Amino acid sequence: MGSTSTKGFSRRGSGSRNNVLVIAGHDPTGGAGVVADAQTISALGAHPVTLISAHTIQDTQGVNSYQPVPPELVVQQLETLKADMEFAAVKLGMLANKSLVEAIVPVIQSLNTPIVFDPVLASGAGDSLSDDGLVEVLCKVLLPQVKIVTPNLPELFCLTHMKAQEDDAAEKTPDQQKAAVRKLLEGGVEHVLLTGGHAKSKDVVNRLYPADKGYAWPRLEGEYHGSGCTLASAIAALLANGVSIEYAVEEAQEFTWQSLVGAYRISSGQSIPLRIRR
Ligand code: PLP
């Protein structure tokens, strides 16, 4: 099909993109959350379809509070979209409360498409983004459905200890980390990409399991907001475009690292990754 022109507008309708369903929080600064996800997914050639799980009150210095969106509203929107279109991948970020997880999981499961989960429980500065009981429901209901989960060290130990806060995660030995990852895999997750941003090593080393493959990236100076969102969304976009999990994980890390290299500031706080590079 070519383009048609109506009243001076040129309409092109011949292209198609693979849809990635995103359910995540809204960070109005655009550093993290659905804006970050939508930028990443668009930049990688897929189409983001975004549902907001919670509105956060935050600036580039930190998160003050958040307000979850009622689960019925999210499910109603999800069912409406499901009736209208197909999804090639799902990306889940901040889910904020357990009733939302319980409400969306059956619908998402019925989409029969790979789920990428960034287990957001707190902001980079440590402000809580989850309610009591969320972690337990995530482990029991969501994780068994997930293709790949992308925890950082504190998130890994929160998930395996079923608690919302984990202060000494950076002190855990490699054996303790491996045992925790094994627990997630035994719980039904297909792949775990453990991210190393919180470790004290010179390079940031991320590790994919069960492949047990490491990826080292030079640690960049400064503080960034939304690197985890960028990484998980990039994996989802690449999976939606049909590549293997190993390739998606590698390319998504490259995309994220380049976004951090090009990061820019909109105020005196944390930098925003540059995801749209044209
Ligand atoms: N999603 C939302 C809505 C957030 O507010 C945050 C952190 O504040 C995150 C996700 C996680 O951000 P990051 O990718 O920096 O861990």
Side-chain angles (χ1 to χ4, degrees):
M1 261 202 279
S3 64
T4 55
S5 191
T6 313
K7 289 187 183 164
F9 290 100
S10 175
R11 291 210 191 126
R12 292 184 182 275
S14 57
S16 75
R17 283 192 166 207
N18 296 313
N19 296 327
V20 177
L21 174 70
V22 173
I23 307 181
H26 179 49
D27 164 10
T29 72
V34 286
V35 173
D37 298 336
Q39 289 181 341
T40 302
I41 291 164
S42 302
L44 287 166
H47 178 75
V49 179
T50 52
L51 289 183
I52 294 177
S53 59
H55 290 272
T56 65
I57 315 294
Q58 65 176 302
D59 56 21
T60 60
Q61 321 286 335
V63 180
N64 296 342
S65 62
Y66 66 89
Q67 190 70 45
V69 173
E72 313 79 70
L73 190 61
V74 180
V75 170
Q76 201 182 345
Q77 180 65 84
L78 189 50
E79 295 281 13
T80 305
L81 293 164
K82 183 185 158 187
D84 183 44
M85 65 188 73
E86 300 207 333
F87 295 103
V90 176
K91 187 267 168 174
L92 303 176
M94 172 186 179
L95 296 174
N97 72 43
K98 63 178 179 184
S99 33
L100 179 67
V101 177
E102 285 164 341
I104 60 170
V105 165
V107 192
I108 289 172
Q109 204 181 342
S110 72
L111 298 175
N112 253 325
T113 196
I115 300 171
V116 180
F117 178 39
D118 175 20
V120 176
L121 301 171
S123 73
D127 313 290
S128 173
L129 293 170
S130 61
D131 75 348
D132 284 352
L134 173 70
V135 176
E136 201 174 336
V137 172
L138 289 177
C139 292
K140 290 191 176 148
V141 181
L142 177 60
L143 285 181
Q145 315 301 330
V146 164
K147 175 96 180 164
I148 179 164
V149 63
T150 59
N152 55 35
L153 275 176
E155 289 162 351
L156 172 69
F157 287 98
C158 283
L159 290 176
T160 49
H161 295 160
M162 292 210 189
K163 58 185 202 183
Q165 210 82 39
E166 184 69 53
D167 298 328
D168 62 346
E171 315 296 332
K172 304 280 187 198
T173 65
D175 279 350
Q176 286 172 314
Q177 294 175 20
K178 279 196 177 168
V181 167
R182 213 173 309 121
K183 206 167 160 185
L184 290 189
L185 295 170
E186 283 164 5
V189 179
E190 262 184 70
H191 303 271
V192 176
L193 179 63
L194 176 61
T195 62
H198 284 71
K200 291 174 178 160
S201 49
K202 186 171 148 276
D203 288 342
V204 172
V205 180
N206 301 329
R207 248 191 137 74
L208 178 67
Y209 298 92
D212 202 5
K213 184 164 184 202
Y215 308 83
W217 300 91
R219 192 176 287 278
L220 298 165
E221 299 265 318
E223 290 202 26
Y224 307 93
H225 191 41
S227 52
C229 303
T230 310
L231 179 64
S233 296
I235 296 172
L238 290 156
L239 288 179
N241 287 341
V243 307
S244 69
I245 188 83
E246 289 77 13
Y247 185 81
V249 163
E250 194 150 350
E251 280 298 300
Q253 290 177 78
E254 175 73 33
F255 179 86
T256 304
W257 197 76
Q258 293 296 347
S259 301
L260 298 180
V261 168
Y264 58 96
R265 301 182 88 120
I266 58 168
S267 76
S268 60
Q270 293 178 311
S271 300
I272 311 279
L274 180 67
R275 304 164 183 113
I276 296 175
R277 299 197 271 272
R278 269 189 298 149

